[in-house]
């Protein structure tokens, strides 16, 4: 597990998590720089108030080396990448011919400044060793924090345990990166004079972020979330006692959803997600069907999805009442389909989500969604769009969504999943 560092804004220096194989060694740092990097690690240990028992090895790499390392990692995770691609295409986040691997390679090659490898306990810095800058020092301080986290809390092991729980894993990453951002900021405030602080801040926007900004909003948001919302979450914990004590405790009482990161008061109240389980419909659908992915989307996923076609405030409001969900990605011989079951804090929240899902679909497809009523499942909201045919059903605090390529497949899925007492669109809007 590695945590590369990048700079998407001129204000902060966040990091992103990627897993890498051991790269090809490059020439060593000059001797004096080795000593300076070791000193940064010790100073980071002081501001983070965690002990360091050994020096963290460093290696200098350039952007091209990083690019090939990233490509090799994506090849190792080809199965997971293929599932993400199919999910994003079914939802319309990606087009049918978009290459997710190429998109991610271009984005991360532009924005990564360094990363820490937990398995090897090694830091990699993307920099010119002859011109090691103030911002490079901050990158080392950030990655040194990850080394301290690994020593004290085994963050690599914690992330591995959540490999199949996407929303919870993202919440843990937000804690890890928010923690490291506070350490990085304290390092700068403690060890940089005023002129150095001003210079470091002014240099934060120097990177070419063309590929990052050209990526779908959903991709941008999931990359930056651990460093924006994660930073706010960590600051909330830090300010309770003006030290890292509550952040340290959080590694033994992990946030269990991105909802808890976005709304720290829900973490404080230990408000956990509702467990949602979708019955496997494949036996009723006939031969050739299989479930290829099952996971939780979570508040971040839904918020980021809606931001791809709606105002940020609208997207945030629609996702804010999230209580729990599960999705199934199914396939047959010729196509795939997506089923989402979700539970909301209140019936009003459920209605808002259903209506926003419809508004998003209309916005990105450029066409009005039409209600279709048929004998088996009257009142479902259905529309043909660029992503296929979408059905939405809401009752009380529950909303169920099916995205399939055609109306016939939609009807078959609705029947197999045994939807009961469907409401009409008007009833959903009125809250009856």
């Amino acid at each position: 597990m590695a945590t590369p560092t990048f700079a998407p804004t001129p204000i902060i220096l966040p990091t992103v998590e990627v897993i890498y194989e051991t790269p090809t060694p490059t020439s060593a740092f000059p001797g004096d720089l080795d000593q300076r990097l070791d000193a940064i690690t010790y100073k980071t240990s002081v501001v983070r108030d965690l002990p360091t028992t050994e020096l963290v090895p460093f290696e200098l790499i350039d952007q091209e080396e990083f690019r090939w390392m990233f490509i090799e990692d994506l090849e190792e995770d080809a199965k997971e990448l293929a599932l993400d691609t199919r999910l994003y295409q079914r939802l319309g986040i990606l087009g049918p011919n978009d290459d997710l691997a190429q998109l991610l390679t271009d984005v991360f090659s532009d924005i990564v400044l360094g990363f820490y490898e937990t398995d090897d306990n090694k830091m990699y810095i993307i920099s010119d060793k002859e011109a090691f800058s103030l911002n490079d020092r901050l990158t080392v301080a950030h990655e040194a924090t990850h080394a301290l986290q690994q020593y004290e809390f085994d963050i690599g092991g914690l992330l591995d345990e959540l490999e199949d729980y996407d929303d919870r894993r993202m919440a843990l990453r937000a804690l890890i990166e928010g923690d490291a951002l506070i350490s990085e900021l304290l390092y700068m405030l403690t060890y940089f004079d005023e002129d150095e602080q001003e210079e470091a801040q002014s240099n934060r926007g120097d990177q070419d972020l063309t590929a990052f900004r050209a990526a779908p909003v959903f991709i941008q948001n999931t990359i930056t979330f651990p460093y924006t919302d994660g930073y706010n979450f960590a600051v909330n914990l830090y300010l309770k006692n003006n030290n890292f004590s509550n952040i340290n405790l959080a590694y033994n009482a992990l946030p269990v959803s991105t909802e808890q990161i976005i709304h720290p008061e829900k973490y404080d109240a230990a408000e956990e997600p509702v467990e949602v389980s979708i019955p496997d419909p494949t036996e009723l659908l006939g031969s050739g069907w299989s479930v290829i992915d099952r996971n939780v989307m979570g508040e971040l996923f839904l918020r980021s999805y809606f931001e791809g076609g709606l105002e940020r405030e609208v997207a945030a409001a629609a996702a804010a009442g999230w209580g729990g969900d599960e999705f199934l990605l199914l396939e047959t011989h010729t196509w795939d389909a997506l089923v989402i079951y979700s539970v909301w804090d209140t019936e009003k929240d459920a209605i808002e989500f259903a209506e926003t899902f419809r508004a998003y679909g209309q916005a990105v497809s450029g066409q009005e969604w039409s209600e279709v009523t048929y004998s088996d499942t009257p009142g479902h909201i259905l529309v043909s769009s660029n992503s296929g045919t979408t059905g939405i059903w809401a009752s009380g605090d529950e909303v169920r969504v099916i995205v399939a390529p055609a109306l016939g497949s939609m009807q078959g899925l609705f029947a197999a999943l045994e939807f009961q007492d469907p409401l009409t669109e008007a009833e959903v809007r009125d809250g009856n």
Side-chain angles (χ1 to χ4, degrees), residues 258-259 262-263 266 298-307 312-324 343-345 349 352-353 356:
T258 55
E259 177 190 46
I262 297 168
H263 311 282
K266 296 194 174 188
E299 182 170 344
L300 166 67
F301 188 110
L302 296 172
R303 184 184 75 178
S304 300
Y305 178 56
F306 289 149
E307 280 190 33
R312 175 171 295 183
E313 294 77 11
V314 174
W322 180 87
V343 176
W344 298 83
D345 292 341
D349 292 323
E352 183 176 23
F353 172 72
T356 303

Side-chain angles (χ1 to χ4, degrees), residues 15 22 114 122 141 159 163 180 197 204 216 288 325 351 366 419 423 426:
T15 68
T22 303
K122 191 172 185 178
L159 285 164
E163 185 175 2
Q197 291 179 32
R204 288 296 174 87
D325 77 64
I351 295 167
F419 279 74
L423 299 178

Side-chain angles (χ1 to χ4, degrees), residues 29 37 64 126 182 246 267 300 353 376 378 382 425 427:
F29 291 132
L37 294 178
E64 187 61 23
I126 303 173
I182 294 176
N246 284 299
Y267 174 79
L300 166 67
F353 172 72
D376 292 332
L382 301 173
E425 177 194 356
E427 288 172 331

